[in-house]
Amino acid sequence: MTEQTDDEPRPAVAPAASTPGAGGRFGASIRRSGYLQKWLLLGVMIGFVAGLGAVVFYLALKYTGEFLLGYLGGYHIPTPVGEGGGHGDTGFRRAWAIPLVTTGGALLSAFIVAKLAPEATGHGTDQAIEAVHDDPRAIRFRVVLVKMVASALTIGSGGSAGREGPTAQISAGFCSLLARRLHLSDEDGRIAVALGIGAGIGAIFAAPLGGAVLAASITYRDDFDYRCLLPGFITSGTAYAVLGAFLGFDPLFGYIDAEYRFERAWPLLWFVVIGLVAFAVGYLYARTFHAAVRLTRRLPGGPVLKPAIGGLLVGSLGLVVPQILSSGYGWAQLAADRGSLLTIPLWIVVVLPIAKIVATSLSIGTGGSGGLFGPGIVIGAFVGAAVWRLGELSGLPGVPHEPGIFVVVGMMTCFGSVARAPLAIMIMVAEMTGSFSVVPGAILSVGIAALLMSRTNVTIYESQRLNRETAAAERERRAEGRR
């Protein structure tokens, strides 16, 4: 009989009291401790690892991108203010190299995943959410390292993906390891993994309050797990402190000029328009991505070839619409400034949300590694930018002089509705942009889009359960099946 290693997920076990020696003295003290002591200790540990993981992944992605897309591809993408605020290149120096780089990065990423940890494929957040509902001990620690390397290759080579999925899986993987090593109860293990998701995403975007709220809301479509909220403040605050100690505390997008004086009621109709358009685009985002995943499963070719073909198609599309390459946060930054936005051709501003949806579906839907949150933010930013550009051209009243408020509200609305976590995303984007003044317009836009999305079964995260009751009933059915 072989001994099980920490890299292997353990089957679900009875409450930890049946294994008094598990995890040594520290594990025993955690299991005996009260609510405050338990989550203070675990929260600091989870937050520290989430913040450190976000720092390591950010640096890995930065240098990978500079080498693959910058040095080999000869193209430097714009960066947001929090990462230097560079405007990037205005054109391609070696256009022929771009499809080669995106293909090579996707190929190498897929090869590493297929050989070492097949469950690290895709965007990662869904796997972490599934662990919350199914078995919080199920994430192998190997996935953490594989996900980090594979995602850096995918995004750094120009693949359209976000960096929050990998950081969520990194911190959730550590929490799964804690659940195994300390023999936490199933309930505590589920809370820990949910906290890891929120802390990881909140850390990489320097949005601690939003990360805490996200931990309590991302696992359900129409519910809120209040048990994760207070521990989430500890984990997300710790993760933010660790990230800031290494990379600084500036918001990702700096402080976007989103000032807008609400002196009359009728200009708020523009936020109704943003809510309706963002709902439609968010709905299309989820349906297109999931359709790409299903189609990829039916197509011939192995788990290495399909992402490589997706990378080739993304690189080819990037030659026409460069804004779809890599994360795209720098383009969202430029869209929030009037002078920069007006230099982007109108047809690109209008087409970019759809092009980014297609590119993300090709990069991640075919089996590449990276997140869906980041592209959703860029898609939403250009939804707001397109509404602003068309509104200004139409000459209709109520359009602000600067596009910042429309761009920020578009970010909040598009992904907040399709992720079924509108409050968390609204807070996170406000932290990422330093734009809490947009709230009066944002609650109208986000509320409309979220209400419309709630009338559908669509969500970008298919592992989400409807609510706590349905999740508990599902676990009970599984438990009865094992008896």
Side-chain angles (χ1 to χ4, degrees):
M1 182 175 179
T2 59
E3 183 179 356
Q4 189 174 30
T5 66
D6 290 332
D7 188 48
E8 299 171 350
R10 302 177 190 268
V13 297
S18 63
T19 53
R25 293 182 179 178
F26 181 71
S29 66
I30 287 291
R31 294 191 297 273
R32 288 195 307 265
S33 61
Y35 178 88
L36 178 60
Q37 181 183 359
K38 177 194 299 180
W39 290 113
L40 182 61
L41 292 173
L42 291 178
V44 170
M45 292 172 63
I46 294 169
F48 180 82
V49 171
L52 194 61
V55 171
V56 173
F57 181 66
Y58 169 81
L59 294 175
L61 181 57
K62 179 179 186 297
Y63 293 118
T64 302
E66 288 178 355
F67 176 75
L68 294 178
L69 203 56
Y71 179 75
L72 297 181
Y75 178 67
H76 295 86
I77 61 174
T79 55
V81 168
E83 297 174 7
H87 280 67
D89 295 332
T90 56
F92 296 108
R93 283 180 290 173
R94 294 191 293 273
W96 57 267
I98 299 300
L100 296 180
V101 170
T102 56
T103 304
L107 181 67
L108 184 56
S109 171
F111 178 79
I112 292 173
V113 169
K115 292 299 181 182
L116 298 179
E119 64 268 41
T121 189
H123 58 91
T125 308
D126 249 337
Q127 291 87 339
I129 294 173
E130 185 62 36
V132 173
H133 295 301
D134 185 11
D135 181 7
R137 304 171 184 85
I139 304 175
R140 293 193 298 167
F141 192 69
R142 180 188 305 178
V143 174
V144 171
L145 301 177
V146 172
K147 190 70 177 179
M148 184 182 299
V149 174
S151 299
L153 288 169
T154 298
I155 304 170
S157 63
S160 178
R163 57 199 186 196
E164 83 296 331
T167 55
Q169 203 163 18
I170 288 168
S171 49
F174 171 73
C175 294
S176 190
L177 175 65
L178 277 183
R180 293 196 300 272
R181 291 285 292 170
L182 302 182
H183 276 243
L184 300 179
S185 67
D186 288 348
E187 195 64 30
D188 286 343
R190 280 191 286 272
I191 294 174
V193 174
L195 294 176
I197 297 172
I201 296 177
I204 200 65
F205 286 128
L209 179 56
V213 178
L214 190 69
S217 56
I218 197 171
T219 53
Y220 302 102
R221 293 204 303 270
D222 297 327
D223 206 347
F224 189 88
D225 194 345
Y226 63 91
R227 296 167 300 178
C228 297
L229 188 58
L230 294 181
F233 293 149
I234 298 171
T235 57
S236 290
T238 303
Y240 177 65
V242 172
L243 180 98
F246 288 94
L247 303 178
F249 294 94
D250 290 334
L252 178 63
F253 294 106
Y255 295 90
I256 290 179
D257 182 9
E259 293 296 329
Y260 190 83
R261 293 180 63 86
F262 295 95
E263 298 175 343
R264 296 183 179 89
W266 64 265
L268 287 171
L269 291 174
W270 281 110
F271 297 97
V272 175
V273 173
I274 295 175
L276 294 173
V277 176
F279 157 72
V281 173
Y283 182 89
L284 180 65
Y285 182 26
R287 294 301 295 267
T288 302
F289 174 77
H290 295 312
V293 172
R294 291 190 295 269
L295 178 61
T296 299
R297 289 171 181 164
R298 293 198 297 266
L299 291 175
V304 176
L305 179 61
K306 293 175 184 178
I309 294 174
L312 176 61
L313 294 174
V314 168
S316 302
L317 179 60
L319 295 179
V320 181
V321 187
Q323 291 81 2
I324 61 98
L325 293 173
S326 197
S327 61
Y329 302 134
W331 289 109
Q333 180 84 66
L334 295 176
D337 178 73
R338 178 187 177 90
S340 300
L341 180 58
L342 291 176
T343 63
I344 303 175
L346 177 61
W347 73 268
I348 287 185
V349 175
V350 174
V351 168
L352 186 56
I354 308 302
K356 190 69 174 174
I357 288 172
V358 173
T360 306
S361 299
L362 290 172
S363 293
I364 310 305
T366 57
S369 188
L372 296 176
F373 189 129
I377 292 296
V378 178
I379 291 166
F382 275 87
V383 166
V387 171
W388 183 85
R389 285 286 297 270
L390 295 174
E392 190 181 56
L393 284 174
S394 69
L396 294 173
V399 179
H401 179 71
E402 289 287 337
I405 188 169
F406 278 24
V407 170
V408 172
V409 172
M411 291 182 189
M412 295 175 172
T413 307
C414 187
F415 196 74
S417 61
V418 77
R420 308 301 283 266
L423 178 60
I425 304 302
M426 185 164 64
I427 295 173
M428 290 188 75
V429 172
E431 291 179 289
M432 291 158 61
T433 60
S435 302
F436 282 93
S437 62
V438 306
V439 169
I443 57 175
L444 184 60
S445 179
V446 172
I448 288 172
L451 283 173
L452 291 172
M453 197 67 72
S454 70
R455 304 301 298 172
T456 74
N457 291 321
V458 172
T459 173
I460 201 72
Y461 299 125
E462 290 193 315
S463 293
Q464 287 175 330
R465 302 310 195 257
L466 180 62
N467 52 43
R468 285 174 289 167
E469 287 74 19
T470 58
E474 179 184 315
R475 289 193 295 268
E476 182 62 27
R477 287 194 299 270
R478 282 200 304 267
E480 290 178 358
R482 287 194 293 264
R483 293 191 188 110

